[in-house]
């Protein structure tokens, strides 16, 4: 049976493709810089070529004796000049595959319209063109959103739906999309390896449904047992801003969210339907959107976010209420205190703390939920304990300052609160910069409060 080289075997599509190739009788070689990241389920069944895709020698060694190359490499981090990086990688594999006598290249690209494209989607198209011109017969399969648990596209869809009962989104949320179930995408990838040598072309692949992203969000909510989502669109939310928002409210890193969001600016629908005739339909036909979502849901707890946010919101609300009962800025004692010139006006504190409490509740919920979804229950439990201690300190400061009139001790409590907030920020950073940034604002304010409390204590030493 043919020897197949899979690049990107640790990625989502690659990790689904490799076991199907093995079950189909192929001998599989996986090129990876970090073989330890290959799936435990099939790592011992494949030939491992440890190496870097940017090294001619490593690629040449990996291609030795290969019949079919699955090229599943593309930049999703948004870092540096990814267009040039992807172009260089594609040219290297095209040149060395031709030299090695590879019989066929199979590449997974994206559905796209004619005309100007986003940088990432345009790069995907360019890579396909480079491979098609390599001299090695190439099949470029062009797919839209891939639906399956663990797919970045699916994860963004589900987390946005689960975490935002109401959202303000870009107008291009109403672009047309033709999603495909992951099993169906893998079916076409498998069949592409068997194409005759004269076939050198692109194929559009997709499921039977053409939807908007807005309707996909609403359908997911219904299938997951969630309430209908309210979605308002605005014309000014850029892909960059949207990707940072996605990075804050979901586990998807902004660098990965950016190309996903950028692709939504275009219609992603099939323009031709040759794949079914040339490659054959999936058994039972391609899955409709609802069936693909039901299969992807599997053991996913779609209501985890709602429960977690309710818990953190209740804890933060209790802190705000108790702290508010302790706080009395209109008392004669507080009004007669000597305050430093950098003391903000009293009207500032209410809005600032309202914003901070909201950031604490949302970012803490995201940190806890993301950790539990990854199976890091110990990390989530530790964060919950750290959050409880932080909120207790938050409440204690109001009591020590406004009720006990203890200026020096209140400064100490404020300092400990700032350290506790910094610890929360450190813990949140492990799940994404967005959560850490939100808690970082809280930490900065607590640091300012410590300085302010110390200044008040120094100016009122005799009280």
């Amino acid at each position: 049976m043919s020897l197949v080289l899979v690049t990107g075997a640790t990625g989502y599509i690659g990790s689904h493709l490799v076991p199907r190739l093995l079950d189909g009788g192929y001998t599989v070689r996986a090129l990876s810089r970090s073989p330890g990241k290959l799936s435990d389920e099939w790592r011992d069944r494949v030939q491992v070529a440890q190496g870097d895709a940017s090294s001619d020698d490593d690629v040449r060694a990996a291609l030795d004796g290969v019949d079919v190359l699955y090229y599943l490499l593309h930049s999703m981090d948004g870092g540096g000049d990814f267009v040039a990086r992807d172009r260089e990688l594609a040219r290297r594999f095209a040149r060395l595959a031709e030299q090695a006598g590879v019989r066929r290249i199979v590449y997974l690209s994206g559905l796209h319209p004619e005309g100007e494209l986003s940088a990432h989607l345009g790069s995907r198209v360019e890579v396909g063109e480079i491979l098609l011109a390599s001299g090695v017969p190439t099949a470029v399969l062009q797919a839209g959103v891939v639906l399956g648990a663990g797919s970045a596209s699916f994860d963004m869809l589900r987390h946005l739906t689960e975490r935002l009962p109401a959202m303000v989104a870009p107008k291009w949320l109403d672009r047309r999309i033709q999603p495909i179930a992951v099993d169906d995408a893998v079916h076409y990838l498998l069949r592409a390896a068997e194409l005759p040598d004269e076939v050198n072309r692109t194929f559009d692949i997709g499921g039977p449904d053409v939807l908007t992203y807005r309707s996909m969000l609403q359908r997911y909510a219904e299938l997951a047992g969630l309430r209908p989502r309210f979605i308002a669109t605005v014309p000014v939310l850029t892909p960059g801003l949207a990707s940072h928002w996605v990075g804050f409210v979901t586990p998807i890193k902004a660098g990965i969210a950016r190309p996903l969001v950028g692709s939504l600016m275009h219609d992603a629908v099939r323009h031709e339907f040759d794949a079914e005739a040339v490659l054959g339909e999936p058994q039972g036909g391609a899955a409709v959107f609802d069936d693909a979502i039901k299969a992807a849901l599997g053991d996913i707890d779609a209501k985890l976010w709602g429960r977690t946010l309710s818990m953190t919101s209740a804890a933060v609300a209790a802190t705000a209420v108790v702290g508010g009962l302790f706080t009395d800025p209109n008392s004669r004692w507080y009004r007669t205190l000597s305050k430093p010139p950098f003391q903000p006006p009293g009207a500032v504190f209410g809005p600032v703390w309202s914003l901070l409490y909201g950031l604490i509740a949302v970012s803490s919920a995201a940190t806890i939920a993301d950790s539990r979804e990854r199976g890091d229950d110990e990390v989530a439990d530790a964060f919950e304990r750290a959050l409880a201690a932080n909120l207790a300190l938050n409440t204690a400061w109001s009591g020590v300052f406004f009720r006990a009139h203890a200026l020096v001790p209140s400064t100490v409590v404020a300092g400990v609160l700032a350290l506790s907030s910094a610890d929360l920020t450190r813990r949140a950073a492990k799940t994404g910069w967005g959560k850490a940034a939100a808690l970082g604002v809280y930490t900065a304010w607590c640091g300012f409060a410590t300085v302010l409390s110390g200044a008040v204590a120094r100016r009122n030493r005799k009280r």
Side-chain angles (χ1 to χ4, degrees):
M1 185 55 92
S2 299
L3 173 60
V4 173
L5 175 65
V6 179
T7 63
T10 59
Y12 179 71
I13 294 296
S15 64
H16 280 73
L17 175 64
V18 169
R20 293 282 297 276
L21 286 167
L22 292 169
D23 291 344
Y26 288 96
T27 300
V28 178
R29 180 181 295 162
L31 173 63
S32 176
R33 285 179 299 180
S34 305
K37 294 182 179 180
L38 297 172
S39 172
D40 293 336
E41 296 180 4
W42 46 258
R43 183 190 304 151
D44 295 336
R45 300 172 60 195
V46 304
Q47 299 177 13
V48 178
Q50 183 170 1
D52 194 319
S54 62
S55 164
D56 276 19
D57 289 341
D58 289 349
V59 172
R60 188 178 291 109
L63 286 169
D64 184 39
V66 165
D67 296 296
V68 179
L69 163 64
Y70 278 97
Y71 190 79
L72 303 177
L73 300 176
H74 54 269
S75 300
M76 285 281 282
D77 58 4
D81 189 354
F82 66 89
V83 175
R85 193 163 67 238
D86 279 355
R87 182 185 301 123
E88 180 183 353
L89 284 175
R91 286 175 174 171
R92 174 178 293 106
F93 273 87
R95 171 172 51 84
L96 296 179
E98 196 274 335
Q99 293 176 5
V102 171
R103 181 179 61 80
R104 171 157 300 281
I105 299 174
V106 181
Y107 171 60
L108 183 63
S109 185
L111 289 173
H112 61 277
E114 296 296 326
E116 186 176 355
L117 302 174
S118 68
H120 277 271
L121 191 52
S123 178
R124 299 286 291 275
V125 173
E126 182 186 22
V127 166
E129 292 172 346
I130 291 170
L131 297 176
L132 286 167
S134 65
V136 179
T138 297
V140 176
L141 306 186
Q142 300 181 145
V145 172
V146 176
L147 302 174
S151 158
S153 297
F154 172 76
D155 285 349
M156 188 172 80
L157 171 72
R158 83 173 186 89
H159 283 114
L160 286 175
T161 308
E162 292 171 6
R163 300 186 177 191
L164 297 174
M167 66 185 80
V168 176
K171 281 190 175 297
W172 26 269
L173 216 65
D174 290 322
R175 294 287 190 181
R176 297 183 304 141
I177 299 171
Q178 194 163 4
I180 185 171
V182 62
D183 287 346
D184 294 340
V186 171
H187 161 81
Y188 289 119
L189 286 167
L190 285 169
R191 296 300 298 271
E194 305 168 3
L195 287 168
D197 293 347
E198 63 269 18
V199 177
N200 186 66
R201 55 165 293 185
T202 63
F203 291 92
D204 289 353
I205 61 174
D209 300 301
V210 176
L211 307 161
T212 65
Y213 204 80
R214 182 200 298 264
S215 62
M216 289 167 63
L217 292 167
Q218 296 291 17
R219 289 298 302 141
Y220 179 89
E222 181 177 345
L223 294 167
L226 305 172
R227 294 179 179 178
R229 273 28 196 167
F230 173 78
I231 304 172
T233 56
V234 294
V236 295
L237 196 58
T238 67
L241 289 174
S243 66
H244 287 302
W245 172 245
V246 171
F248 173 60
V249 299
T250 80
I252 309 296
K253 296 180 180 178
I256 296 176
R258 191 172 296 112
L260 297 178
V261 170
S263 67
L264 298 179
M265 297 174 63
H266 312 289
D267 287 337
V269 297
R270 299 177 67 180
H271 299 288
E272 50 85 8
F273 299 85
D274 294 345
E276 287 83 353
V278 178
L279 299 172
E281 290 191 40
Q283 186 174 5
V288 298
F289 178 81
D290 285 11
D291 288 345
I293 291 296
K294 290 174 184 176
L297 279 168
D299 296 328
I300 289 174
D301 182 357
K303 297 184 180 180
L304 171 64
W305 166 257
R307 294 196 307 273
T308 305
L309 181 60
S310 295
M311 180 268 290
T312 59
S313 296
V316 169
T319 300
V321 170
V322 176
L325 293 175
F326 284 152
T327 302
D328 187 5
N330 296 316
S331 67
R332 181 178 180 279
W333 173 80
Y334 180 74
R335 286 186 286 106
T336 57
L337 285 177
S338 175
K339 303 175 183 66
F342 59 86
Q343 164 90 18
V348 168
F349 289 94
V352 167
W353 274 111
S354 295
L355 172 63
L356 291 176
Y357 282 139
L359 291 175
I360 295 168
V362 174
S363 57
S364 295
T367 301
I368 295 167
D370 291 355
S371 298
R372 295 206 185 282
E373 286 193 359
R374 292 200 312 266
D376 293 336
D377 287 338
E378 291 184 5
V379 172
D381 292 342
F383 187 92
E384 287 181 359
R385 292 192 294 269
L387 177 63
N390 180 273
L391 295 179
L393 287 167
N394 190 303
T395 302
W397 182 88
S398 296
V400 172
F401 184 86
F402 282 101
R403 295 302 177 182
H405 300 170
L407 299 181
V408 173
S410 70
T411 302
V412 174
V413 173
V416 176
L417 175 61
L419 291 175
S420 172
S421 302
D423 178 59
L424 286 180
T425 302
R426 176 187 65 83
R427 294 173 185 271
K430 297 177 182 179
T431 62
W433 73 268
K435 294 84 172 173
L439 288 171
V441 174
Y442 174 48
T443 300
W445 181 259
C446 290
F448 171 74
T450 303
V451 173
L452 180 58
S453 294
V456 171
R458 286 193 299 273
R459 296 171 71 95
N460 297 272
R461 288 190 179 93
K462 297 182 179 180
R463 301 189 59 169

